[in-house]
Amino acid sequence: MNRLHPFSAVSMALQRAITGFTLPFFLVIFLASVVDVVDASWAFVLGVIGLLAGVAYGLAYYYRFEYGITPDTFDVQSGVISRRSREIPYGRIQNVDVARGVVQRLLGLAVVSIETAGGGNTEATLRFVSESEADRLQHQIRRRTAEIKDRQRSRERDTETDQRGESTDATPGSEAPSPDPDPRSEREEHVDPTRVETGYRSRRQRLFDLQSRELLLYSFTTFRPAAIAAVLFVFFLATDTILEYMVTVANPVGGPEDLENGDTGSYGILTVVSMINGLLITYLLSVAYTFATYYDFRLGRVDEDFVYERGLLQRYSGSIPAEKVQSVTVTANPIQRLIGYAGLWIETAGYGPDSSAGSQSAVPFAVRRRVYTFTENLTGVERPKFQKPPTIARRRYLVRYSIVAALFVAVVYGITRISPLEGWYFAAAVFVVVPPAAHLRYVNLGYYVGSDHLVIRRGFWRRRTTVIPYYRIQTLSTRRSIFQRRLGIASLVVDTASSRTFFWATPTIYDVDLEDARDVQGTGRKRLQSALRERARSDDVDISVDFT
């Protein structure tokens, strides 16, 4: 069993020391303010005791944390008071992710996270190990996972051979020749581990690099919702400073001189200027976040796994097992579609897009035709011919968006009744965008029932075209709301084993005729069974790791 890097002991001791000092310190300060029995001077005594206890606990946790690689499992033992032992089979390991921050790279350290299928959670985290140890763990686990796959396939081939041999052995005196030993297995039994690692690293094949021009275009044409949270966080930390800045910026264009002195018009100008500044700052933060996240993005392959590296301040590297791929999604927002670009994302079992810092991006940004070619080569899907929902769906969207617009006008009217603002009727202009919004929602929907894949397209602001092999489908369910039942339409939900995030809902064929939904459901079930039978007879994972 191995221990973490010695710096881990320092890091754990500092973290526990800070926690051990602050908790009793502030607790005593609070109790002293409400209870006369408690003396505030106790805070320093208990704080020091907590600090020493935290240091001792952090050091004990370091010495009690051990990990090791066995032939079949990756083992982790941890815990000071309650001992925990975990044995993680290589067949369940989804990804070995290595993260290196700026300080960690200066110190030659890394954080290794081992993800498993079935939820996308981190099963084990090694904080910290040396960079060479992180690379060794990645390569060793990947190699042993490949060996397990080879043994499983070998057993399946032996089973098929035995079944065939039973029919030929019926002839008296006939004897099946003994198979020749696998020279590769004999060679691997006596090979030096260092030579294996060197050879394993040398077999990496480069598939895609994100060029500087593509990175800049991707950064400026992508909006990250996390930027909104960052702006709100900064606002709450420095509210007075930010308000003063907004007043200073708005004053030259008609805003108030200060928050206390102003009229309705100046406050309105301040509101508009503040919104514009907020949107601009949020957008620039989003650009910086995307640039730092996907800086120097590289995608390659090692055996049957995709491997990637990315990141400026925080450097990530990991792998995507090809056999775990559930579906492939092409994404593009309106600006990206206008300039002819798109992105390609891979969803794996228990590990969805943009989960765990977006590690499943295969091609973040490239020319759209190139991305479509990648998708066809990766999945083997034929060029889809999409079927659209019936026109009654467009009428449904028109009614839905009209209701939303009416609610918006009602809210604005209510605000004008309780504030100095006037002209609520200007909000009625929102009804102008209702018809084009309903039309854009309708024209961006479509589905294609292929021979081996189901393809679903939806979304305008971020159009997503998802290619799902039939053998990856978990369930096909028809969903109908009370309004859909009245219109005779339904939505078909196609669920796979991949996890979903708040921004990536389960692929759904929206608002098609009920009979069409039932036909697709029946066809999908039949082709699912045939695809499973075909897959059982073949060792192919149906995903091409040479998709470029």
Side-chain angles (χ1 to χ4, degrees):
M1 299 291 283
N2 302 318
R3 282 200 174 97
L4 301 175
H5 193 276
F7 181 79
S8 300
V10 179
S11 175
M12 293 178 186
L14 287 176
Q15 292 178 5
R16 301 293 182 176
I18 293 173
T19 303
F21 178 83
T22 56
L23 285 180
F25 181 87
F26 287 108
L27 180 60
V28 171
I29 294 296
F30 172 74
L31 293 176
S33 63
V34 297
V35 181
D36 295 334
V37 179
V38 180
D39 190 350
S41 61
W42 298 354
F44 295 96
V45 178
L46 294 178
V48 172
I49 295 175
L51 185 147
L52 296 176
V55 171
Y57 186 88
L59 293 176
Y61 187 87
Y62 166 76
Y63 283 104
R64 298 279 286 174
F65 190 100
E66 295 178 323
Y67 68 91
I69 293 179
T70 68
D72 299 314
T73 60
F74 180 81
D75 297 345
V76 179
Q77 297 180 2
S78 61
V80 178
I81 299 176
S82 177
R83 193 68 172 165
R84 182 184 180 190
S85 298
R86 283 164 289 174
E87 296 181 354
I88 308 173
Y90 296 119
R92 290 188 62 245
I93 293 179
Q94 183 85 351
N95 182 28
V96 181
D97 190 48
V98 177
R100 301 179 178 93
V102 177
V103 177
Q104 296 159 11
R105 277 185 281 176
L106 291 175
L107 299 176
L109 303 177
V111 178
V112 178
S113 300
I114 298 178
E115 315 282 349
T116 57
N121 296 321
T122 301
E123 186 71 21
T125 301
L126 310 182
R127 188 186 305 268
F128 302 91
V129 297
S130 64
E131 290 185 349
S132 60
E133 175 68 1
D135 291 338
R136 185 187 75 87
L137 291 174
Q138 267 192 329
H139 299 146
Q140 283 275 11
I141 292 175
R142 190 179 297 135
R143 179 172 65 87
R144 292 180 184 276
T145 302
E147 290 175 353
I148 289 178
K149 296 176 185 176
D150 290 341
R151 288 201 297 266
Q152 290 176 347
R153 293 172 182 173
S154 178
R155 284 196 296 266
E156 292 174 357
R157 286 194 296 267
D158 292 342
T159 301
E160 293 179 359
T161 302
D162 293 340
Q163 292 176 349
R164 295 171 184 172
E166 290 178 359
S167 60
T168 57
D169 289 344
T171 305
S174 62
E175 186 173 323
S178 59
D180 295 332
D182 187 358
R184 184 182 61 180
S185 61
E186 291 184 357
R187 183 173 64 250
E188 290 182 352
E189 289 179 0
H190 302 89
V191 81
D192 183 21
T194 58
R195 294 180 59 188
V196 171
E197 292 301 316
T198 304
Y200 198 79
R201 188 180 295 108
S202 65
R203 291 200 298 271
R204 174 168 177 163
Q205 176 185 350
R206 180 174 297 182
L207 298 179
F208 176 81
D209 290 344
L210 188 64
Q211 303 299 321
S212 300
R213 180 175 180 272
E214 295 170 336
L215 175 61
L216 290 174
L217 285 174
Y218 185 46
S219 301
F220 282 100
T221 59
T222 304
F223 180 76
R224 299 286 172 179
I228 301 176
V231 171
L232 292 176
F233 179 74
V234 174
F235 178 80
F236 284 116
L237 286 180
T239 303
D240 294 337
T241 304
I242 293 177
L243 288 176
E244 291 177 2
Y245 167 76
M246 293 299 181
V247 171
T248 303
V249 173
N251 182 256
V253 293
E257 295 183 359
D258 53 57
L259 290 176
E260 290 77 16
N261 300 314
D263 52 20
T264 302
S266 62
Y267 285 135
I269 293 176
L270 174 62
T271 302
V272 174
V273 172
S274 299
M275 291 178 61
I276 294 174
N277 276 274
L279 291 174
L280 180 60
I281 294 173
T282 304
Y283 172 71
L284 292 178
L285 284 177
S286 174
V287 171
Y289 175 81
T290 305
F291 183 88
T293 301
Y294 289 96
Y295 176 81
D296 194 26
F297 180 94
R298 302 175 185 175
L299 180 71
R301 63 158 293 192
V302 175
D303 292 338
E304 299 300 322
D305 293 344
F306 299 105
V307 292
Y308 64 88
E309 296 181 17
R310 61 175 175 83
L312 178 60
L313 302 177
Q314 187 87 350
R315 190 70 181 169
Y316 293 95
S317 65
S319 59
I320 307 173
E323 67 172 8
K324 303 290 186 181
V325 174
Q326 301 293 306
S327 62
V328 175
T329 301
V330 178
T331 65
N333 59 38
I335 298 178
Q336 293 169 353
R337 295 198 297 270
L338 183 63
I339 62 178
Y341 279 79
L344 178 62
W345 296 79
I346 292 177
E347 299 176 65
T348 56
Y351 216 61
D354 264 349
S355 64
S356 296
S359 60
Q360 300 303 307
S361 177
V363 178
F365 201 67
V367 177
R368 184 169 55 227
R369 288 177 298 183
R370 189 182 182 195
V371 171
Y372 287 162
T373 302
F374 287 169
T375 306
E376 294 172 2
N377 293 341
L378 176 63
T379 62
V381 65
E382 60 270 27
R383 186 62 60 92
K385 297 179 181 179
F386 290 103
Q387 299 182 12
K388 293 185 177 298
T391 55
I392 196 173
R394 179 161 43 193
R395 190 182 72 182
R396 179 174 184 243
Y397 305 143
L398 183 64
V399 174
R400 178 191 297 177
Y401 295 153
S402 297
I403 294 174
V404 174
L407 292 175
F408 174 76
V409 174
V411 171
V412 174
Y413 175 77
I415 293 176
T416 58
R417 299 294 294 178
I418 61 176
S419 68
L421 298 177
E422 299 178 355
W424 63 270
Y425 40 83
F426 288 110
V430 71
F431 282 98
V432 176
V433 302
V434 168
H439 176 72
L440 292 174
R441 160 79 173 175
Y442 174 78
V443 298
N444 283 281
L445 294 176
Y447 66 95
Y448 171 71
V449 183
S451 57
D452 299 311
H453 303 80
L454 185 63
V455 186
I456 302 175
R457 185 179 68 187
R458 70 270 189 215
F460 168 73
W461 294 109
R462 189 175 189 182
R463 181 193 288 172
R464 301 184 298 276
T465 305
T466 303
V467 180
I468 308 173
Y470 286 116
Y471 69 89
R472 290 302 190 188
I473 294 177
Q474 297 286 319
T475 59
L476 283 165
S477 56
T478 302
R479 185 182 63 193
R480 303 180 71 196
S481 67
I482 184 173
F483 303 103
Q484 288 177 313
R485 288 197 295 269
R486 293 189 62 180
L487 298 175
I489 58 179
S491 297
L492 185 65
V493 181
V494 183
D495 192 19
T496 63
S498 61
S499 62
R500 302 293 170 179
T501 65
F502 179 78
F503 297 98
W504 288 70
T506 303
T508 303
I509 302 175
Y510 290 102
D511 299 322
V512 296
D513 287 327
L514 178 59
E515 293 301 322
D516 291 340
R518 288 174 175 172
D519 288 343
V520 175
Q521 188 177 20
T523 302
R525 288 175 177 173
K526 293 178 182 177
R527 295 184 179 178
L528 167 63
Q529 298 301 323
S530 61
L532 290 176
R533 289 192 295 268
E534 180 65 27
R535 182 173 169 80
R537 293 193 295 265
S538 174
D539 292 334
D540 190 9
V541 297
D542 294 336
I543 294 293
S544 173
V545 290
D546 290 324
F547 68 96
T548 56

